[in-house]
Amino acid sequence: IMEAAIFAASYSQAWKDGFSSMDVFYVSPSQLSKSPPPGQYLPKGAFRIIGSRNYIRSVPLELAIGLIISGDSRVELIVAPVSAVKARTDIYIKIAPGSIPKNKLIDLIKAKIIEKARKVFEGGLPVNIFEDLQHRLPAGGGRIVDE
């Protein structure tokens, strides 16, 4: 639940607004309804929450970008909460909301990941490994978080 909360918070407007943490709530699937209360209207695509919400306070906005090496020597880029990436690889860096523009941040991420991966990949990384990184990062600027 905590990883899902970090993921949701990081890809919300809060990242673009530069927040370092925020409150997140969750409900069980049985608490969601597509039908409005009697006599009321529910806009198209909206859900009604029945019952109380479960809050997680001060969820940190922080993601990790890492390289996962599968058994057949295939390399995959992953962007997820730090605990999820850390459990699967040692080649990762952490990012958080910040003032570095996204394009510049991507260049810094690439350089740091390549630097960390040099110890493992003697022949170099696949050329296209970072091609969709732009679309996988949250909207807005960021910064690299030192370990």
Side-chain angles (χ1 to χ4, degrees):
I1 291 174
M2 188 60 172
E3 283 181 355
I6 292 168
F7 195 85
S10 294
Y11 283 93
S12 72
Q13 180 69 31
W15 185 285
K16 197 173 187 177
D17 292 343
F19 292 2
S20 60
S21 66
M22 68 177 293
D23 296 343
V24 174
F25 75 85
Y26 66 95
V27 296
S28 68
S30 62
Q31 290 180 266
L32 297 174
S33 173
K34 287 195 133 217
S35 9
Q40 293 185 10
Y41 172 76
L42 201 58
K44 185 177 180 176
F47 288 88
R48 177 173 67 126
I49 297 172
I50 302 163
S52 62
R53 297 171 176 159
N54 303 297
Y55 281 89
I56 302 173
R57 305 287 181 194
S58 300
V59 173
L61 276 72
E62 186 175 72
L63 295 172
I65 297 107
L67 294 179
I68 298 174
I69 306 141
S70 60
D72 59 351
S73 297
R74 198 169 42 110
V75 182
E76 179 186 349
L77 187 74
I78 183 172
V79 180
V82 176
S83 59
V85 174
K86 206 178 212 180
R88 299 190 63 196
T89 184
D90 291 331
I91 304 169
Y92 69 92
I93 60 156
K94 296 191 282 187
I95 62 168
S99 59
I100 300 171
K102 199 172 191 179
N103 291 342
K104 175 79 172 144
L105 182 63
I106 288 172
D107 291 339
L108 294 171
I109 290 168
K110 286 179 187 178
K112 291 265 188 187
I113 291 281
I114 289 169
E115 179 184 315
K116 286 190 173 203
R118 273 203 181 107
K119 298 168 189 162
V120 178
F121 297 98
E122 293 171 9
L125 290 171
V127 177
N128 63 350
I129 191 76
F130 297 107
E131 71 183 12
D132 67 339
L133 186 56
Q134 172 84 22
H135 303 292
R136 296 174 71 182
L137 294 179
R143 64 184 171 87
I144 293 178
V145 178
D146 293 324
E147 295 285 325

